[in-house]
Amino acid sequence: MLDIRWIRENPEALDAGLGKRGVEPQSAALIALDEERRTHIAKVQEAQSRRNSASKEIGAAMGQGDTEKAEALKAEVGELKGFLQNAEDVERELNAKLNDALSVLPNIPLDDVPLGEDENDNVELRKVGGLPDFSFTPKEHFELGEALGMMDFETAAKLSGSRFTLLSGGLARLERALGQFMLDMHTGEHGYTEVNPPLMVRDEAMYGTGQLPKFTEDLYQTTEGHWLIPTAEVSLTNIVSGDIVDAETLPRRYTALTPCFRSEAGSAGRDTKGYLRQHQFYKVEMVSITDEDSSNAELDRMTKCAETVLEKLGLPFRTMVLCTGDMGFGARKTHDIEVWLPGQNTYREISSCSTCGDFQGRRMNARYRAKDEKQTKFVHSLNGSGVALGRALIAVMENYQNEDGSIRVPDVLKPYMGGLDVISA
């Protein structure tokens, strides 16, 4: 959420920032809502002050025997009490109107984010690793998986419908190995603390990280009102919600391997074949909570942590800076890492690392206080995939495939595979 005080002081900057995202100017409407709220609050304060002073004047008038004045003052106090009885409800409604308007506004991009409308305007930062040279036409992952008898879309559809997959045998173990490998790297080498968080959260948690109220249709909700997390970002970031943390404890870095649940409401017709876009999938998530001076550098650090996963797996990739039109709702700047898939003959996203500034901190009311300072500031938050297991599995299958359809196991995964070198039928 954006700061209404900043908006009052910088209306042109708000509209310019939103314009970069293709959003119409909002400052005038927001300032009008805020002015209405502030005017009402001023009237309430004035009425409270007058009620108090009039009440004292009643006693003085009675003491002087001025009954007429006392009665007039009593009538005035009665009117003020009537106004004040309704004033709290009106203030609550005005606050809600302003907060509702602010809660659906996207974050403002950093100045160095490239301008653009969609993924075609993203800018390549770097490309790592040479593309594999096959002596045969490489197959896509679903062709390999079905031929191995270890990637079953038909049975999964019988159980759950479309966009579900049943893995078995060597491929199920390979995906598990990928998750263990990533967690071990992030905790052992990158300084993240492993967390096993709840997979179901309250409204407040989804609001804090920006999924609610704007993206309800993308989420799954239980009959009891809990939401299934679309990413562990929700649980990990909200660890500090409502807290005032010591600045000395920052940065806080968390990682988790969890299932993620997404309706993919906006993806109808996209990637319907294979394991690429699922309603349920596993992902290793990274979250950092920082002070305001460290978040930009933390983005580069987090991106490198995700890149190192692919480097150690021997997978070719490129890192992109997303343009203003392609960034997520809560991001100020995003790096997407795209892995090479030879079966598709293209790069596909496997990780997205974003800095959100104090956007989520403000929504969560999560603050930090520097030593010997009374004033608090909203925390800055970052999140990134470290990385998505399903897409990592696809990338390993396609880049390490043999002509006979078997899959070589990357060296770094062999300790997690019981020494298995090749997955074959």
Side-chain angles (χ1 to χ4, degrees):
M1 183 177 290
L2 302 175
D3 182 3
I4 186 61
R5 286 177 297 180
W6 178 85
I7 293 172
R8 285 200 308 267
E9 296 168 1
N10 303 276
E12 294 179 355
L14 171 73
D15 291 339
L18 293 177
K20 293 177 181 179
R21 284 178 168 268
V23 178
E24 293 295 319
Q26 301 290 325
S27 64
L30 291 168
I31 290 172
L33 284 174
D34 185 48
E35 189 60 36
E36 183 182 5
R37 179 185 68 91
R38 286 156 60 87
T39 299
H40 175 74
I41 292 172
K43 288 181 179 178
V44 170
Q45 292 171 342
E46 183 180 343
Q48 289 170 335
S49 177
R50 177 57 189 151
R51 179 195 61 186
N52 293 339
S53 60
S55 296
K56 293 177 182 178
E57 291 174 20
I58 291 172
M62 293 292 286
Q64 296 170 1
D66 192 343
T67 306
E68 183 179 348
K69 182 177 182 181
E71 291 302 318
L73 288 168
K74 286 179 182 179
E76 181 184 1
V77 169
E79 291 179 3
L80 290 170
K81 284 183 177 179
F83 168 75
L84 291 171
Q85 283 176 349
N86 296 322
E88 188 175 337
D89 290 338
V90 173
E91 184 176 347
R92 190 180 300 111
E93 291 173 5
L94 292 174
N95 282 333
K97 283 173 64 177
L98 179 59
N99 285 334
D100 287 348
L102 289 170
S103 68
V104 297
L105 286 183
N107 209 344
I108 301 300
L110 292 177
D111 292 339
D112 63 348
V113 174
L115 297 177
E117 296 183 1
D118 53 34
E119 61 186 14
N120 296 313
D121 297 318
N122 295 339
V123 176
E124 184 179 299
L125 268 182
R126 52 187 162 270
K127 191 174 286 183
V128 178
L131 304 186
D133 184 18
F134 294 96
S135 61
F136 56 93
T137 302
K139 297 178 180 177
E140 292 199 52
H141 70 280
F142 54 84
E143 299 173 295
L144 295 164
E146 288 181 314
L148 289 169
M150 300 176 190
M151 187 172 274
D152 189 341
F153 302 103
E154 186 175 337
T155 301
K158 179 179 70 174
L159 296 173
S160 305
S162 61
R163 295 195 187 276
F164 289 92
T165 305
L166 191 151
L167 295 180
S168 62
L171 291 186
R173 183 165 188 173
L174 183 60
E175 184 173 77
R176 175 160 56 93
L178 283 163
Q180 291 176 302
F181 159 69
M182 294 175 199
L183 279 180
D184 286 350
M185 177 183 296
H186 293 317
T187 56
E189 300 178 22
H190 297 157
Y192 287 85
T193 298
E194 183 175 351
V195 178
N196 189 353
L199 304 180
M200 297 187 294
V201 298
R202 295 175 172 176
D203 292 358
E204 294 84 355
M206 285 290 197
Y207 179 86
T209 43
Q211 282 76 22
L212 291 180
K214 194 173 178 64
F215 302 104
T216 307
E217 66 175 8
D218 296 328
L219 306 170
Y220 288 110
Q221 188 175 27
T222 71
T223 54
E224 295 181 348
H226 284 93
W227 299 90
L228 300 183
I229 60 170
T231 163
E233 170 200 344
V234 178
S235 302
L236 297 180
T237 308
N238 275 280
I239 288 174
V240 297
S241 65
D243 293 344
I244 298 176
V245 302
D246 291 334
E248 294 177 347
T249 69
L250 302 177
R252 297 187 181 186
R253 299 184 177 111
Y254 302 116
T255 187
L257 167 58
T258 68
C260 304
F261 306 92
R262 299 183 185 178
S263 71
E264 296 292 352
S267 302
R270 294 176 56 195
D271 302 316
T272 56
K273 209 167 189 179
Y275 198 42
L276 195 68
R277 195 178 295 275
Q278 302 278 283
H279 290 308
Q280 171 190 313
F281 60 96
Y282 284 90
K283 177 162 65 79
V284 172
E285 184 71 5
M286 303 177 292
V287 162
S288 295
I289 308 296
T290 77
D291 60 32
E292 65 179 358
D293 298 321
S294 306
S295 55
N296 290 344
E298 186 72 11
L299 175 61
D300 293 331
R301 183 188 189 279
M302 179 178 282
T303 303
K304 182 58 181 176
C305 290
E307 290 176 336
T308 303
V309 171
L310 302 184
E311 289 173 353
K312 292 200 172 187
L313 286 170
L315 297 172
F317 65 88
R318 66 181 183 184
T319 300
M320 313 289 290
V321 182
L322 297 195
C323 71
T324 53
D326 199 31
M327 289 197 309
F329 174 76
R332 297 207 71 192
K333 185 177 184 179
T334 298
H335 293 158
D336 264 13
I337 303 173
E338 300 176 349
V339 69
W340 176 252
L341 300 182
Q344 292 190 23
N345 194 40
T346 191
Y347 288 95
R348 297 299 299 262
E349 178 202 333
I350 194 170
S351 173
S352 189
C353 299
S354 299
T355 179
C356 301
D358 66 1
F359 189 81
Q360 295 177 328
R362 192 176 300 278
R363 295 173 78 100
M364 297 185 300
N365 193 26
R367 301 169 179 264
Y368 70 94
R369 179 185 285 120
K371 188 177 180 180
D372 300 326
E373 288 189 13
K374 292 183 179 181
Q375 186 179 4
T376 62
K377 297 179 180 179
F378 289 108
V379 300
H380 282 213
S381 60
L382 302 93
N383 61 81
S385 308
V387 297
L389 264 62
R391 296 193 175 198
L393 177 67
I394 291 170
V396 168
M397 290 174 66
E398 293 196 10
N399 282 277
Y400 283 84
Q401 63 179 290
N402 295 317
E403 189 169 7
D404 63 1
S406 60
I407 311 294
R408 302 186 310 279
V409 175
D411 289 342
V412 292
L413 297 183
K414 288 178 182 178
Y416 302 95
M417 295 289 291
L420 186 67
D421 291 327
V422 177
I423 297 172
S424 57

